[in-house]
Amino acid sequence: MLQLNNVDVCYGSFKALNNIAMTVETGELVVLLGANGAGKSSLFNTISGLNRPTRGEIAFGGRRIDGLKPSAVVEAGVVQCAEGRKLFPQMSVQENLMMGAYVHRRDKQGNRQRLREMYELYPILEEKKDQPAGSLSGGQQQMVAIGRAMMGRPRLLMLDEPSLGLAPLVVRQMFETIQKINGLGTTVLLAEQNAFAALKIATRAYVMENGQLVMEGDRETMLGNENVRKAYIGA
Ligand SMILES: Nc1ncnc2c1ncn2[C@@H]1O[C@H](COP(=O)(O)OP(=O)(O)OP(=O)(O)O)[C@@H](O)[C@H]1O
Ligand SMILES: [Mg+2]
């Protein structure tokens, strides 16, 4: 479904991504592990069209998407839920959700249906739909951010560190809903530092260090790998 070949990304003279080769198959939940500054967000922003690769190709559904505008990448079916949520805090929960449906703005009925699905996934958001998004708890704001991305009707949903700053119980619930979204048919690419919780729901994972992918394997392989455990799980 998603394929990257030999992708490099530079910020000025600094090479943030080096020779990235990666695939995500339809239906998978692929986790991208990596420490602070490894290059996870740089990779996501490159797939979303916010960064331009200086070398290499990115294809989605067999079609090149590198070089497309971010809005065209969304229309192609790839939607990113950015690190740090980036909500519009004064706007209501429902207005924030509807912002995600912008590329489908002409399909009002489809958007109403999708909004109902999001309220089924996150019932608390329906209760709070008229409240300013900024008044919600951190976990609820993260639900709004994921729900907003889902309103773009992604075939591939990219989640950049959704557990950042959330309490452990909230993190667990959030991973459950990510698994549910995947189970309902959306392919997921998830960047996380919370390695154990992420690997538990993963099909497969990559490890990124200093802008390079240094390891790849399925859930069992990664959970059983001593280097992964030492570096990211602490057991
Ligand atoms: N716009 C930019 N200009 C210059 N350097 C950047 C820019 N964005 C990121 N970097 C650098 O690129 C490297 C990778 O950063 P990136 O944000 O992609 O890492 P990350 O894995 O997402 O980290 P974190 O877990 O902290 O979010 C870092 O050294 C960072 O300082
Ligand atoms: Mg990041």
Side-chain angles (χ1 to χ4, degrees):
M1 171 183 247
L2 177 74
Q3 186 159 18
L4 284 81
N5 283 320
N6 312 112
V7 170
D8 288 357
V9 169
C10 297
Y11 298 117
S13 62
F14 174 68
K15 194 184 254 192
L17 295 178
N18 188 356
N19 202 26
I20 299 294
M22 153 180 243
T23 58
V24 178
E25 302 299 339
T26 304
E28 281 193 310
L29 194 165
V30 174
V31 167
L32 178 63
L33 300 177
N36 284 318
K40 304 179 296 296
S41 297
S42 296
L43 178 60
F44 278 22
N45 290 339
T46 306
I47 297 167
S48 321
L50 297 165
N51 293 339
R52 280 284 154 93
T54 45
R55 188 174 72 100
E57 292 116 48
I58 305 174
F60 182 72
R63 177 177 152 229
R64 288 281 290 270
I65 57 165
D66 51 276
L68 294 184
K69 284 185 303 185
S71 61
V73 175
V74 172
E75 278 166 45
V78 180
V79 182
Q80 163 159 239
C81 178
E83 189 177 332
R85 323 201 228 285
K86 308 223 162 60
L87 300 180
F88 301 95
Q90 326 286 0
M91 286 167 55
S92 74
V93 166
Q94 184 152 314
E95 285 165 342
N96 270 275
L97 290 172
M98 290 310 294
M99 292 292 287
Y102 184 75
V103 299
H104 306 293
R105 60 194 174 282
R106 277 182 289 274
D107 179 15
K108 297 225 160 48
Q109 198 187 334
N111 290 337
R112 272 196 299 274
Q113 166 67 24
R114 191 74 175 184
L115 188 64
R116 270 198 299 277
E117 290 168 15
M118 287 307 106
Y119 287 148
E120 275 165 33
L121 185 67
Y122 297 122
I124 187 73
L125 297 188
E126 184 160 27
E127 281 172 40
K128 305 208 166 187
K129 68 183 166 64
D130 299 319
Q131 295 188 22
S135 71
L136 271 57
S137 72
Q140 292 163 357
Q141 290 192 30
Q142 187 61 58
M143 293 175 196
V144 177
I146 296 175
R148 181 179 59 183
M150 287 297 289
M151 290 301 293
R153 306 183 205 175
R155 290 164 59 209
L156 174 66
L157 173 68
M158 295 198 293
L159 299 167
D160 194 353
E161 300 205 47
S163 76
L164 206 65
L166 303 181
L169 177 66
V170 181
V171 170
R172 217 174 63 208
Q173 292 166 345
M174 200 204 50
F175 278 101
E176 280 169 16
T177 62
I178 293 171
Q179 192 168 31
K180 194 162 173 191
I181 286 170
N182 180 242
L184 290 169
T186 306
T187 305
V188 176
L189 179 57
L190 168 65
E192 264 299 332
Q193 298 201 39
N194 204 325
F196 189 59
L199 284 176
K200 275 200 298 191
I201 62 167
T203 321
R204 216 153 50 78
Y206 290 89
V207 175
M208 181 173 258
E209 284 174 8
N210 301 316
Q212 285 184 285
L213 294 177
V214 295
M215 204 189 305
E216 182 262 331
D218 64 19
R219 173 183 48 233
E220 302 308 324
T221 308
M222 295 305 245
L223 281 170
N225 184 285
E226 203 179 328
N227 293 328
V228 172
R229 296 190 78 89
K230 271 199 197 126
Y232 300 100
I233 299 175

